[in-house]
Structures are given as C-alpha cells and as structure tokens.
Amino acid sequence: MITTLCIAGYRSLRDIRLELDPINIVTGPNGSGKSSLYRSLRLLADVANGNIIRSLALEGGVQSVLWAGSLAYTAAMKRGAQRVVSGQQKKPVSLKLGFAMEDFGYAIDLGYPIAAGTSMFNYDPHIKTESLWYGQVLRQRNEIAYRNGPMVKVRDAHHTWQVVLSNLATFDSMMTHASAPTDARELLMVREAMRDWRFYDHFRSDRDSGARRPQIGTHTPVLDSDGHNLAAAVRTIIEIGDIAAFSTALDDAFPGASVDIREDGGYFELYMTQAGLFRPLRAAELSDGTLRYLLLIAALLSPRPPALMVLNEPEMSLHPDLLPALGRLIAASSKRSQIIVVSHAPELVAAIESAAQAKRIELYKEDGETLIADRDEPPWEWPSR
Ligand SMILES: Nc1ncnc2c1ncn2[C@@H]1O[C@H](COP(=O)(O)OP(=O)(O)OP(=O)(O)O)[C@@H](O)[C@H]1O
Ligand SMILES: [Mg+2]
C-alpha cells in the first residue's frame, strides 16, 4: 500500500504531500488539480515501465508541465500554510515525484536538458537524481540506492556504497537499468510493485469501441485500459473469479439483469438480459452508461487484483441513480486493492463514504496553486541534486 505521495513542480501541484489510506477519494472543483494528481501517479508508474520521458513529451515536455508560478513566494506561504523556500531561486527547474510504501520509498527529480551541441532531443527532460530508501522518510542512513546524473550507487551487504553504473543515460531510470537480482534486489522489488499499479481512465463506449464487438477470447484476469477485452474478462471472472461478487454487483446496479458470454469460433461476445425484454441485448446494443458500468465491474472484480487501483472519474456518463451501487462496488473491491478514486460527483463521493471508511482529499486552488483542505502533511525529504 502507498502510504505517502509527494509531488513538486508538476503543473499546479507546486508542492503536495499526501498521506494515503486504503480508500482515497480525490475531489475538488474544476481546475483544482485532480487530473494532475492522477497523471502524476501515472508518471511514477511510467518510471517503472521505462516510459517517463515519452509520457512527459506527449504532455508537451518539461517546459509545459513544470509549475509555471513562482517558487519563492506564494499565497499559501503568505498565510503560513506552506513552507517558505529559502534562497534566491525563483524559477522552477525541477519536477519531483515520490512515494513511500510501508517498507520502501522512492523519489525521482527531473529537470531541463543542458543544451547539448548537436542533439535534436532538446525537449527531452533529464533525470537528475533518484533515490530508494527503507522506511517512510529518506535519511542518509536508510538510503539503499542513489542516482546522481549518470552515476548509480547501491549499498552492498556490508552497508558500503558501490558504484554499479557510471554511464546511465539522462533518459533512463535506475529502476529499469540498475536493478539486478544481485545488486540491490530492492530496486527490482519496488519496480515490480510500481508496475503492478493499475489505472482506469475513461473507457471507450462509442459505436466502434472494442467492448461492443466480438473479440478473440483468451483468459483475461486483467481488463485492458480501453476495455476492448470485456467479454473475455467477464468470462474469466465467471470461470475462475468471484462469481458471487459479480452477481451481487450486477444485481445491485441492474436488478433482475444477467450477463452471459457466447463463444463462436474463438470469438467472445457479451449479452445482457434485462428485466422486461424478450431477448438478451448484445454489447453493441447496450447504452453507453450500461456498457461503462459493466466495464467497471469487470475492472474492479479482476481475479488478479493489483496492489493499487486508480480510477479517474468513473462516474463519467453514469446516471446519478447508478452511483450508490458504484460506491458499494468500489468499497467491496477495496478489500483486495488499495483504491484511489478521482471524482467530481458528490453522489459518488457520498456513496463510497457511506459504504466504507474512506479518506477524502479535497483539492482547491489559490493563486494558481493546488492546495489540500486538510493540512496534515506527512514528513518527507527529497533527494538532493
Ligand atoms: N505548468 C503549469 N503550471 C501551473 N498550473 C498549470 C500548469 N499546467 C496546467 N496548469 C493548471 O493546473 C490546473 C489543474 O488542472 P487539472 O486538469 O488537474 O484540474 P482538474 O481538477 O482535473 O479539473 P477538471 O475538474 O476541470 O477536470 C488547471 O487550472 C491548469 O490551468
Ligand atoms: Mg480533470
């Protein structure tokens, strides 16, 4: 479980430090920073998957995503609600992402490229420092691995620092390039934990979406992020998953309905029988909201639950009448995974809160900067450059 999440210099998240619970609901008005918080978690997962530089480039490059305000003086500092940054530096140069789990912490610091003669990759951010440590807060004595520019040092069994790489590229992370079963197995363990995080953001439900058409079916314990393998995922739940939880979730949202999967020449198609209809409807005939709800059930009742499941605005195109059932479904799946839900539907927030003990993370914006209503900040130290 992630216990602490810290982001600095990313869009409106100038300096955010959060404590996380088993179920977390991120909410707040338009433009308060919810999607930025969601994306910063995805960026951390991208580090472990080796995609961070490309993901940042697709967002417009470090020039676009770096906090565009001042570092030296903010409204929150004026009120005494935020730490005052000492020194003369006013222009942000650093995007930092970090988290701690129960036993390990990791942080990465990215910045501007240093103008490099003939290179065309002048928009690629550079990874400046990375650190991996035992426990919640980075200290000198509990650091396990450290990256500074091209050099990676790892502590050996005798607690002595060993240089394991001296030529790491600015666009590669030590998590993907310095982890080996022999040196710092912890790098490998934490990387695998990060790769296991699962994100669901706006399923496709348009006429051409894969979920509406028959698809080649193979065992699918994890629904794809675009939902195209819905029929195979539902069939996998029916065969090897929690079929009782599936029936309960379906009946809670659509009383009296049932779902079955038909197979033809290896192609799987989903059918739904609803109260009052003489024939079952094919996935292609279902409403957007109904299809999205089935996708959410398949995602949340995965027979291979991840350590962390992050849902971005799952209420999209669902009628408010369905949100209490969705709240109960999310609460039920929190028994298997840590959950972070980003939502601006008060009905969904209320539904999750009445079904389970959830932490509400209420964001608001002041002078362009995202702040958190609850000011209890966990202790945190960034690795120094
Ligand atoms: N580089 C930047 N520096 C500072 N602020 C930025 C930067 N880039 C974007 N922003 C601002 O960050 C804010 C947060 O955007 P975000 O998309 O996270 O909001 P949101 O809470 O998801 O809103 P909505 O409910 O409308 O989806 C926006 O107001 C945007 O203008
Ligand atoms: Mg948003």
Side-chain angles (χ1 to χ4, degrees):
M1 182 177 117
I2 301 187
T3 51
T4 306
L5 174 67
C6 297
I7 305 143
Y10 179 64
R11 299 190 182 276
S12 59
L13 310 177
R14 188 191 63 84
D15 185 2
I16 287 283
R17 300 176 187 203
L18 281 177
E19 231 157 41
L20 295 176
D21 277 7
I23 312 183
N24 308 274
I25 310 170
V26 179
T27 185
N30 292 129
S32 58
K34 302 181 297 298
S35 297
S36 305
L37 191 80
Y38 173 82
R39 281 207 295 265
S40 58
L41 265 166
R42 285 205 78 139
L43 287 173
L44 270 171
D46 285 334
V47 172
N49 289 309
N51 300 328
I52 175 91
I53 302 298
R54 185 172 162 73
S55 296
L56 282 171
L58 292 176
E59 289 193 29
V62 72
Q63 291 80 350
S64 159
V65 303
L66 270 183
W67 156 243
S70 165
L71 275 184
Y73 195 64
T74 68
M77 286 172 188
K78 210 160 40 189
R79 286 194 284 105
Q82 294 268 327
R83 295 163 301 279
V84 177
V85 177
S86 59
Q88 299 305 308
Q89 182 198 49
K90 295 211 167 61
K91 200 173 167 340
V93 293
S94 183
L95 187 171
K96 294 187 261 196
L97 305 164
F99 70 98
M101 304 187 285
E102 279 107 339
D103 35 12
F104 295 108
Y106 168 77
I108 184 168
D109 176 353
L110 299 112
Y112 283 108
I114 306 155
T118 56
S119 175
M120 280 195 190
F121 301 103
N122 290 324
Y123 287 87
D124 274 19
H126 281 194
I127 302 176
K128 306 283 182 182
T129 56
E130 295 178 84
S131 178
L132 184 82
W133 62 88
Y134 277 121
Q136 294 289 301
V137 185
L138 170 63
R139 309 257 181 248
Q140 245 167 19
R141 63 178 183 283
N142 62 1
E143 195 167 30
I144 306 168
Y146 174 64
R147 180 245 183 94
N148 190 3
M151 191 180 61
V152 180
K153 286 185 190 170
V154 166
R155 258 206 249 262
D156 67 14
H158 309 289
H159 226 61
T160 311
W161 285 110
Q162 303 289 349
V163 176
V164 294
L165 277 179
S166 55
N167 58 352
L168 185 58
T170 55
F171 48 86
D172 284 329
S173 161
M174 71 172 183
M175 300 305 274
T176 46
H177 285 70
S179 58
T182 44
D183 308 318
R185 274 181 45 241
E186 294 85 355
L187 283 172
L188 203 70
M189 285 162 53
V190 174
R191 182 186 78 197
E192 290 313 301
M194 294 163 81
R195 283 187 178 172
D196 184 43
W197 300 348
R198 206 171 293 163
F199 296 86
Y200 288 107
D201 193 4
H202 306 161
F203 290 117
R204 276 188 65 182
S205 61
D206 56 283
R207 292 292 126 195
D208 293 328
S209 72
R212 291 196 179 275
R213 281 178 287 135
Q215 300 280 341
I216 294 274
T218 56
H219 278 100
T220 304
V222 180
L223 180 71
D224 193 84
S225 59
D226 72 359
H228 78 275
N229 47 8
L230 172 66
V234 169
R235 187 64 202 175
T236 307
I237 295 172
I238 292 170
E239 290 193 16
I240 63 169
D242 189 345
I243 177 76
F246 182 83
S247 306
T248 305
L250 189 67
D251 199 61
D252 195 8
F254 309 106
S258 66
V259 160
D260 70 297
I261 307 300
R262 298 185 191 174
E263 184 268 338
D264 182 14
Y267 282 81
F268 285 30
E269 189 167 15
L270 179 141
Y271 284 77
M272 184 173 183
T273 309
Q274 285 162 298
L277 294 186
F278 289 121
R279 66 168 180 90
L281 299 183
R282 288 183 296 128
E285 300 171 295
L286 298 174
S287 77
D288 284 354
T290 306
L291 186 66
R292 275 174 191 270
Y293 203 90
L294 296 178
L295 285 157
L296 285 165
I297 296 179
L300 284 161
L301 297 181
S302 161
R304 195 171 289 159
L308 171 70
M309 174 93 79
V310 192
L311 303 173
N312 192 27
E313 297 180 359
E315 69 269 12
M316 259 266 288
S317 87
L318 296 184
H319 189 271
D321 285 355
L322 273 177
L323 299 183
L326 179 57
R328 289 187 284 274
L329 172 62
I330 290 173
S333 67
S334 72
K335 294 189 179 74
R336 293 176 288 262
S337 304
Q338 185 179 19
I339 307 266
I340 301 177
V341 184
V342 176
S343 172
H344 50 41
E347 297 94 336
L348 180 60
V349 176
I352 300 171
E353 284 175 344
S354 71
Q357 174 86 32
K359 182 183 181 98
R360 195 194 287 203
I361 298 163
E362 190 103 40
L363 305 182
Y364 66 101
K365 214 157 85 169
E366 196 172 294
D367 285 352
E369 172 179 357
T370 295
L371 299 172
I372 305 169
D374 161 22
R375 290 194 208 150
D376 275 348
E377 288 191 340
W380 184 259
E381 288 294 333
W382 291 110
S384 53
R385 271 196 185 177

